Amino acid sequence: MNTKSIIAIAALAAAVSGVARADEADGSQYAVKFEGSRTRAEVMAEAATVSATRSTEPAGSRVAAPLASKLDTKIVRAQAAEAVRLGKIPSGELSL
């Protein structure tokens, strides 16, 4: 026999041997069994009150109002550009 066919047979045997395992098909060993103390009507009443009081707005979706400022945008940009030119603020690859 050829070496390739021996390796192929060994690989196939290893793959098939790990596939077949006997177990229950329904997985009943993992089922959680419990008994509730509340009635169905109590649960339904609580569910109705939760939906009435719940907000549909996602958390953190509100945008903060813009802050009032006395500075002009053009002046701030000019000052930043001057600071970069004078080397007070690193820019580009030098900022690392």
Side-chain angles (χ1 to χ4, degrees):
M1 269 187 159
N2 184 334
T3 306
K4 289 182 183 179
S5 61
I6 292 173
I7 293 173
I9 292 171
L12 181 63
V16 172
S17 67
V19 174
R21 292 205 166 102
D23 196 8
E24 293 182 20
D26 62 352
S28 62
Q29 69 269 20
Y30 301 115
V32 177
K33 297 179 181 175
F34 63 93
E35 290 187 26
S37 60
R38 298 191 302 168
T39 65
R40 180 178 176 88
E42 291 173 341
V43 173
M44 295 299 283
E46 182 182 352
T49 60
V50 168
S51 63
T53 59
R54 184 174 179 171
S55 173
T56 58
E57 180 178 310
S61 65
R62 291 190 180 206
V63 178
L67 299 173
S69 176
K70 296 177 183 175
L71 297 175
D72 186 23
T73 306
K74 293 179 183 177
I75 295 172
V76 173
R77 288 185 181 170
Q79 289 174 348
E82 184 179 351
V84 169
R85 274 194 301 273
L86 296 175
K88 294 180 180 179
I89 301 174
S91 66
E93 294 180 6
L94 296 175
S95 64
L96 297 176

